[in-house]
Amino acid sequence: MSFSLPDLPYSYDALAPYMSRETLEYHHDKHHLAYVNNGNNLLRDTEWEGKSLEEVVKGSFGKNAGLFNNAGQHYNHIHFWKWMKPGGGGDKIPGELEKRIIADLGSVAEMKEDFIQAGVTQFGSGWAWLAIKDGKIVVTKTPNGESPLVHGAQPILGCDVWEHSYYIDYRNRRPDYIKAFLDHLVNWEYVAEMLGGK
Ligand code: MN3
């Protein structure tokens, strides 16, 4: 199996004004494509060739930094595009997911505050996450191309806080970007799908 760049599940204009066409063109067509191409070159002739993407990500972590960085970012971005939709965000959260958020994190408002805080305090490049760890929803953050997958957890929502994800639209205002992501972009149905029966 080799990596390939998925199409965006919406048009390049669909997420404006919260995420512009220009951002999506650079982020998807250039940054994500580079992870795919570099990942394929680094995967060739390794023990992970032919494995699933999740197996490549988990297996290469701590063993092959170049491959891990690109495979990890490929995994993160495949989901990142699907974690957003036009007219998303806000509090229209599917019932079971909302119940779990309230049970594990206190309230939807607290979850959002903690998620923003995780993204803002991630020094340099990385991601803010909702993940399932030991059967509970947790808020977490990771540097660079890491995800909860390599820390014994299952990601259900991730926000890319690399500057390439927001600098065109928000300049240095990372908190405003993460808030807009939560209020206007999150595809809560896809988050619920990733939660599944976990
Ligand atoms: Mn990115």
Side-chain angles (χ1 to χ4, degrees), residues 27 31 35 73 77 127 160 162 164-165:
H27 198 174
H31 291 276
Y35 299 134
Q73 283 290 73
H77 285 81
W127 294 74
D160 188 342
W162 286 56
H164 66 223
S165 195

Side-chain angles (χ1 to χ4, degrees), residues 111-132:
M111 174 274 288
K112 288 183 178 180
E113 259 179 52
D114 292 351
F115 190 90
I116 291 169
Q117 194 59 19
V120 168
T121 57
Q122 172 52 44
F123 186 76
S125 296
W127 294 74
W129 302 97
L130 291 183
I132 305 293

Side-chain angles (χ1 to χ4, degrees), residues 9-10 77-85 187 190-191:
Y10 30 72
H77 285 81
I78 285 174
H79 294 290
F80 183 58
W81 309 129
K82 297 201 272 189
W83 277 320
M84 298 186 287
K85 68 172 189 178
N187 182 346
Y190 188 59
V191 179

